[in-house]
Amino acid sequence: MTVMRNAAAALVLLAALASPRYAHAADPCQLEISGNDQMQYDKQVLTVPASCKQVTVTLHHTGKLPREAMGHNWVLVSAADFNAVATSGTAAGLANDYVQPDDKRVLAHTKTIGGGQTTSSTFPTSVLKPGGDYRYLCTYPGHNALMRGTFRFG
Ligand code: CO
């Protein structure tokens, strides 16, 4: 009977683990960040454990302004490449989401969105080194002065 009780308890536990709510709260490889009409992200640090094989970053624009006026994206770079990627992103223009096509310094990026929109980027962590010095930014012209943060992996 003890075996049966343990089996029943295990099933209850498995059902709890499989529930969407638990899975969402427990998945450290799924990150959320928001940008607003005041040119701000809501987070200055994002952290991913080294156990993640891939990461999904979902960006929400909580404002109302269109992307032509207050566009936001999320671009991941090595800290050393921050300024260069910001500059070439500006030059790339909105048609390219303010990211130079095939820029190898860009480790991951989302599209550029406007108020009320959401976008996401899924990328393998094989592009990162545990403990590396990474930053994220919005490459819409001028935004990186405020819209920047530290990305920790491992
Ligand atoms: Co922006």
Side-chain angles (χ1 to χ4, degrees):
M1 279 301 125
T2 303
V3 172
M4 287 296 288
R5 262 202 305 276
N6 285 348
L11 281 175
V12 168
L13 180 61
L14 281 173
L17 288 171
S19 80
R21 182 179 177 157
Y22 185 94
H24 182 78
D27 189 347
C29 311
Q30 307 268 339
L31 305 177
E32 308 264 341
I33 187 168
S34 295
N36 62 22
D37 280 346
Q38 286 71 50
M39 214 170 82
Q40 297 163 327
Y41 286 133
D42 67 332
K43 291 173 183 160
Q44 276 66 56
V45 179
L46 291 175
T47 302
V48 169
S51 56
C52 294
K53 297 293 182 225
Q54 67 175 27
V55 174
T56 297
V57 174
T58 300
L59 170 68
H60 305 278
H61 193 317
T62 57
K64 290 185 162 51
L65 295 170
R67 70 184 200 136
E68 290 79 5
M70 185 54 69
H72 299 320
N73 63 10
W74 184 91
V75 178
L76 180 64
V77 294
S78 290
D81 293 328
F82 187 102
N83 288 329
V85 168
T87 300
S88 47
T90 293
L94 182 57
N96 291 306
D97 289 301
Y98 295 109
V99 176
Q100 204 74 53
D102 301 320
D103 188 338
K104 297 291 182 266
R105 300 166 302 188
V106 173
L107 303 173
H109 75 93
T110 68
K111 294 178 178 174
T112 295
I113 57 173
Q117 297 181 314
T118 293
T119 187
S120 68
S121 171
T122 298
F123 56 96
T125 54
S126 55
V127 302
L128 306 171
K129 295 191 184 86
D133 194 9
Y134 301 106
R135 300 287 186 274
Y136 58 88
L137 68 151
C138 174
T139 56
Y140 185 101
H143 284 200
N144 76 82
L146 289 176
M147 299 188 76
R148 56 171 66 196
T150 298
F151 188 92
R152 297 201 176 111
F153 174 64

